[in-house]
Amino acid sequence: PLQILFLILVTDLPPSIALGMEPGESTVLQERPRPKEEPVVLNWMWVSMVLNGAVLSAVIIAVYVIALMNYCDGQILQNKIDKLPDFDSKLMDARTVAFISLVWSENIRAYCSRSFNRPIWHNVLGNVHMQQAIVLAQLCLYVAVLVPFFSDKILGLRGIKIGIFGWLLALVGPIGCLTLCEACKLITAWQMRQYQNTLALRQLAASDKYDNHDSAEDNAGAFIPEPVKQVVNGTVAPTLFGNVVEGVPTKSGGAVKPPAGRSRMMAALCACLPGFGAGADFSDVGVPGR
């Protein structure tokens, strides 16, 4: 239990915090906008996380099994290991190898996790907080496995006793995780392209639906309130700015005809606002006549 607690709070926590400080990717504006009803974590993200978790678990279990076979006289089952002489020390050595390998693997995965689809070497030093977190995690690791009494009496680890073979075997973990996690990014990159293509098809379908109205009148009827349609069509002339609407006195005392085109539309939109309805007199505003 203490080993697991040490892993979570000491060696894994700093890189996790550093990932939260990762700068955004420069290609984010090249992606299509996501629909607001979609969840934060998409399906392809779940697949990526499950693959990475499975890779880490498989690699570390493999390292631990090899360590058991080496230090426990070829035995990997608990009931048989318990019958070995000095089995506690032998189990401690195997666990130490797995512990070191797991910390190294998690530190490597912290760099791999900076992007779903980009390789680990892309802007590898771009997050200075990550470098600081990895250095801190490594220092804590070596204190945990090499400092007498704290390592063997408290955490149950023996970094000195495992020998060169144990340290080299521990390297299998980070090398295996690096290779397999980067390979999984090929799958994730393909899923991301498929998702972007799906978004493009949805947006195209929505655009076609909008463009396939029978006429401009249908569009206006669907999106423009009835008072606005009446002004645009010339059937109603609300009193807006005395110099732009028919029958309303201008500053010069004359009258003008309703504006055409976009000017008429703007007048109509203003007419539908609260307090700007038909019959409102704005002749005192003094807008210059055109």
Side-chain angles (χ1 to χ4, degrees):
L2 285 179
Q3 295 175 6
I4 297 175
L5 189 63
F6 189 88
L7 283 171
I8 295 174
L9 296 181
V10 181
T11 60
D12 287 353
L13 187 60
S16 300
I17 296 175
L19 277 177
M21 301 179 182
E22 187 73 22
E25 296 189 6
S26 59
T27 59
V28 65
L29 292 180
Q30 299 176 8
E31 300 177 1
R32 295 182 178 274
R34 290 167 49 179
K36 62 181 181 180
E37 64 271 10
E38 288 193 347
V40 175
V41 181
L42 301 173
N43 290 336
W44 62 265
M45 296 180 183
W46 282 112
V47 172
S48 176
M49 290 186 288
V50 170
L51 286 176
N52 279 266
V55 165
L56 178 65
S57 300
V59 170
I60 299 304
I61 290 175
V63 170
Y64 184 54
V65 169
I66 297 174
L68 285 174
M69 295 176 64
N70 179 74
Y71 295 106
C72 298
D73 302 333
Q75 303 297 329
I76 60 174
L77 299 179
Q78 185 68 48
N79 58 346
K80 294 184 178 181
I81 293 176
D82 291 341
K83 299 177 182 179
L84 299 175
D86 195 20
F87 69 92
D88 285 334
S89 298
K90 295 178 179 180
L91 272 178
M92 192 181 299
D93 293 340
R95 290 169 181 166
T96 301
V97 173
F99 184 90
I100 297 171
S101 184
L102 180 57
V103 174
W104 285 350
S105 299
E106 284 285 11
N107 290 171
I108 287 294
R109 283 190 64 254
Y111 281 101
C112 294
S113 301
R114 295 175 64 232
S115 175
F116 279 107
N117 60 333
R118 290 189 172 185
I120 188 174
W121 56 83
H122 177 78
N123 194 25
V124 65
L125 301 179
N127 185 358
V128 64
H129 303 289
M130 181 63 72
Q131 279 67 260
Q132 297 170 350
I134 296 300
V135 170
L136 178 61
Q138 289 299 303
L139 290 176
C140 294
L141 167 65
Y142 301 128
V143 169
V145 299
L146 296 177
V147 174
F149 184 79
F150 179 70
S151 61
D152 54 351
K153 301 300 183 181
I154 297 179
L155 294 180
L157 302 171
R158 303 199 308 174
I160 298 177
K161 297 294 184 178
I162 62 175
I164 298 298
F165 175 81
W167 287 92
L168 293 178
L169 178 59
L171 280 174
V172 174
I175 294 175
C177 283
L178 173 62
T179 304
L180 296 177
C181 288
E182 289 298 298
C184 290
K185 287 185 178 181
L186 299 177
I187 301 175
T188 304
W190 176 80
Q191 289 182 310
M192 291 175 66
R193 290 193 298 270
Q194 293 295 108
Y195 175 71
Q196 290 297 314
N197 292 338
T198 301
L199 288 181
L201 292 176
R202 291 179 184 175
Q203 294 171 7
L204 181 60
S207 177
D208 290 343
K209 182 179 180 180
Y210 175 79
D211 292 337
N212 286 338
H213 289 290
D214 294 335
S215 63
E217 178 65 23
D218 292 336
N219 290 335
F223 299 102
I224 301 177
E226 186 62 27
V228 179
K229 286 192 354 180
Q230 294 175 356
V231 174
V232 173
N233 295 333
T235 58
V236 174
T239 306
L240 284 175
F241 300 102
N243 56 341
V244 296
V245 178
E246 181 178 15
V248 178
T250 63
K251 286 295 182 181
S252 60
V256 296
K257 292 187 178 298
R262 186 170 297 182
S263 298
R264 184 196 295 269
M265 175 66 79
M266 294 303 297
L269 290 175
C270 291
C272 293
L273 296 176
F276 290 82
D281 188 357
F282 292 93
S283 58
D284 292 334
V285 174
V287 178
R290 294 187 182 182

